Amino acid sequence: MSTVLYYIIPFIVVLGVLIFFHEMGHFLLSKLFKVKVLKFSLGFGPKVIGKTVGETEYVISAFPLGGYVKLLGENDDEEIAPEDIQRAFSSKPVQHRIAIAAAGPAFNFLLAFLLFSGIYLISGYPILAPEVGQVRPDSPADKAGIQKGDIIESIEGTKIERWDQIKQFVEKKPEQGLNLVVIRGETRFSTTVFPKQEIVKNIFGEDVKSALIGIVTSGRTEQINISPFRAIKEGAVKTWEITYLTVLVLVKLIQGVVPLKTVGGPIMIGQLAGEIARENFGYLIPFMAVISVNLAILNLLPVPVLDGGMILFFLIEIVTRKPISIKKREMAQKIGFGLLLLLMALVFYNDLLRIITK
């Protein structure tokens, strides 16, 4: 029972919401452009339950690792009644087809934005307090008299509310003096620190130049109440940050900087969802937002059988002023399907290896 409660249920909740939002994007844009939707399915494989409402069959299928929206005229060999030709996907302008294909990933980005904004509005915006947890001996901060437990109140006259602001100031003025106001217990004093350029490792293990003063955060976090407008702004910023980092990780994977063994799949998502839910079910919301961004970017990859592959075909159609031939499309889809199977095999292998070696 504990396994079902802490692993399977959170996994189904996370994946179900992400898939529903993704397919809802395709569904709503199809309706907007008056394309006939034949089926809306959460999951693949045999139908578990389903109901036809109007002209669309809504289905929950056996395997929950995806979903699909079946549109009239999506397949080349499909027979279309004369009265439905204008409602076929294939008869719509290429711009409409691109919008329908892009709507799934777009809705995943939208979901992440809504989740982050909602968290910040309801629970407050989390910040890492500007409190010093450790000072490296003989560092610029040590020479300036900064000690463990000190709170950086301001830098160059600007009030410091969170830890990342310190880093921003330090990186702006390497080898130049920065005036700091520091709080230590009941006292407040001013000091000058001279950031030093050093070679450090980034999150990918690469050597990079960075200005440092030799302090580490205490790790203390705070939740501050913010206005609805700022919650929306911070939600957008966070969604962009996760998007940028995800794309960067993807680039580093291609470059070989990040090893392929770090790539995870459904099993890892299930494990993480279970562990997060076990600690606090509410923590699943930001986790879901991050996975939603990952799902959006994965689907935008220019691989046939993914949304990005379809968009690529349609962009080629705009340039060449004619659709790609059925033969070429089928060949590309076979290659894309093969690549997708290889990726799935890799992530399942990595997930199983983590379980075995854990």
Side-chain angles (χ1 to χ4, degrees), residues 39-344:
K39 184 182 287 188
F40 184 110
S41 177
L42 290 180
F44 293 113
K47 177 173 72 174
V48 177
I49 57 171
K51 185 177 182 180
T52 300
V53 180
E55 61 188 15
T56 306
E57 182 184 15
Y58 299 89
V59 174
I60 295 178
S61 300
F63 306 110
L65 301 179
Y68 62 93
V69 171
K70 185 178 180 181
L71 306 176
L72 178 70
E74 203 171 0
N75 300 321
D76 298 307
D77 57 351
E78 190 175 343
E79 290 187 10
I80 305 172
E83 64 270 18
D84 282 335
I85 289 177
Q86 292 302 314
R87 300 192 62 201
F89 178 73
S90 54
S91 70
K92 296 299 177 180
V94 67
Q95 294 88 347
H96 290 187
R97 283 177 275 149
I98 289 174
I100 291 170
F107 264 58
N108 279 126
F109 285 122
L110 174 63
L111 175 61
F113 163 70
L114 292 175
L115 290 175
F116 281 130
S117 299
I119 293 167
Y120 298 153
L121 184 60
I122 296 168
S123 302
Y125 183 68
I127 61 169
L128 197 57
E131 182 179 306
V132 179
Q134 187 178 339
V135 181
R136 196 176 71 225
D138 204 35
S139 64
D142 187 33
K143 293 174 181 177
I146 296 172
Q147 298 177 8
K148 178 181 178 179
D150 287 350
I151 295 173
I152 310 299
E153 184 182 46
S154 67
I155 300 179
E156 295 293 299
T158 300
K159 183 174 176 57
I160 301 298
E161 296 180 339
R162 57 187 193 272
W163 185 265
D164 62 301
Q165 290 177 283
I166 301 172
K167 185 174 177 63
Q168 291 168 10
F169 270 102
V170 169
E171 288 181 340
K172 282 179 185 175
K173 293 191 173 183
E175 312 295 342
Q176 297 180 45
L178 286 173
N179 180 258
L180 276 63
V181 174
V182 180
I183 297 175
R184 181 180 298 161
E186 300 296 323
T187 64
R188 179 184 282 104
F189 65 92
S190 178
T191 186
T192 302
V193 65
F194 293 85
K196 185 179 178 183
Q197 282 273 21
E198 296 184 32
I199 302 295
V200 296
K201 298 282 186 185
N202 63 13
I203 59 172
F204 303 110
E206 299 171 301
D207 289 336
V208 294
K209 275 188 176 182
S210 182
L212 302 171
I213 60 174
I215 58 175
V216 177
T217 174
S218 67
R220 181 169 62 86
T221 59
E222 299 174 352
Q223 299 285 128
I224 60 171
N225 293 324
I226 57 176
S227 67
F229 177 79
R230 188 177 170 192
I232 291 170
K233 176 189 171 185
E234 296 294 349
V237 169
K238 191 65 176 179
T239 303
W240 165 249
E241 287 176 353
I242 299 298
T243 301
Y244 176 78
L245 183 59
T246 304
V247 172
L248 191 58
V249 169
L250 188 60
V251 171
K252 297 299 180 182
L253 273 168
I254 295 169
Q255 293 174 340
V257 175
V258 176
L260 288 173
K261 66 180 181 181
T262 60
V263 178
I267 296 175
M268 188 179 79
I269 293 173
Q271 284 182 313
L272 290 173
E275 289 167 6
I276 290 168
R278 199 165 194 165
E279 185 175 344
N280 187 323
F281 216 85
Y283 294 164
L284 276 179
I285 296 175
F287 174 73
M288 193 185 300
V290 172
I291 299 299
S292 191
V293 170
N294 278 256
L295 183 62
I297 292 170
L298 175 65
N299 272 279
L300 284 173
L301 293 177
V303 176
V305 309
L306 295 178
D307 295 328
M310 290 181 64
I311 293 169
L312 179 61
F313 287 157
F314 298 146
L315 290 174
I316 292 172
E317 183 178 336
I318 290 175
V319 173
T320 61
R321 298 179 182 276
K322 61 179 181 179
I324 298 175
S325 68
I326 296 174
K327 187 176 179 181
K328 287 180 180 177
R329 231 174 21 240
E330 287 178 346
M331 179 62 69
Q333 286 172 345
K334 286 177 182 178
I335 294 170
F337 188 67
L339 291 172
L340 204 58
L341 284 177
L342 285 174
L343 178 61
M344 289 175 66

